[in-house]
Amino acid sequence: MSMRSRFTAREWETLQFAPLWLFVMVAGADRKLEKREVAALAKELAEAHLYRNDLAREVFGSVAADFGRIWPAFGADSRGVVEGLQEVLQVLRKVDASEAEGFKRALIFLGSKVAEAGGGGGLFKKKDTKKGQAALILACAVLDIQLP
């Protein structure tokens, strides 16, 4: 059974926007968008099949497969990053706690890869820039997960 079938169209769209909100939050922390950050997002989405979490695998893969439609819809969405991520938490109530936790951790991992590509080192590296690290810490707080 597809994970997609558990959600309404609006809820699924909210989940699809989640990696994009993380991307915008982290890549925009220093107010410069770098090609390496865009490439890191593209790589993580393209490698969705490598994620262990079923929901992350399906959501990230669907974003990669339909990016040309999803990105403009994301840009037209009125929700800000924090509001959007808070809605992601609400949507995740439809899956069991371990699936939800895995999805949230996959989002943070994606954000860390974007930060690393931007020269920030990501959350799991020692050479974090303060802005990139602060963005990832904020994302962890909003998503209600403990720092790794």
Side-chain angles (χ1 to χ4, degrees):
M1 179 173 157
S2 157
M3 296 296 285
R4 163 70 184 97
S5 64
R6 298 181 184 187
F7 304 97
T8 66
R10 172 73 172 172
E11 290 168 339
W12 187 251
E13 181 180 68
T14 296
L15 292 175
Q16 288 179 310
F17 289 174
L20 304 178
W21 280 315
L22 252 293
F23 169 74
V24 167
M25 179 181 258
V26 173
D30 62 0
R31 301 198 185 273
K32 322 179 257 192
L33 181 61
E34 299 177 29
K35 288 181 183 179
R36 294 180 312 216
E37 292 167 328
V38 174
L41 172 67
K43 180 179 185 291
E44 289 307 308
L45 294 176
E47 293 181 349
H49 62 281
L50 299 175
Y51 281 83
R52 285 185 252 160
N53 178 268
D54 291 338
L55 184 57
R57 195 169 43 249
E58 193 169 334
V59 169
F60 292 8
S62 74
V63 174
D66 201 13
F67 194 82
R69 182 194 63 77
I70 294 169
W71 182 255
F74 171 74
D77 191 86
S78 63
R79 294 172 285 185
V81 171
V82 172
E83 179 186 0
L85 292 176
Q86 289 171 334
E87 287 191 31
V88 168
L89 284 180
Q90 299 302 314
V91 172
L92 289 175
R93 290 183 177 170
K94 286 194 153 186
V95 297
D96 68 57
S98 64
E99 188 71 34
E101 184 71 16
F103 183 76
K104 295 185 293 183
R105 289 190 178 279
L107 289 173
I108 296 302
F109 181 80
L110 180 144
S112 181
K113 290 299 190 177
V114 170
E116 187 177 325
L123 190 60
F124 309 109
K125 305 288 182 184
K126 292 187 179 193
K127 62 177 191 168
D128 285 332
T129 62
K130 291 183 186 211
K131 291 178 183 176
Q133 185 179 32
L136 287 168
I137 291 169
L138 175 60
C140 286
V142 172
L143 291 170
D144 192 28
I145 61 175
Q146 298 299 313
L147 292 173

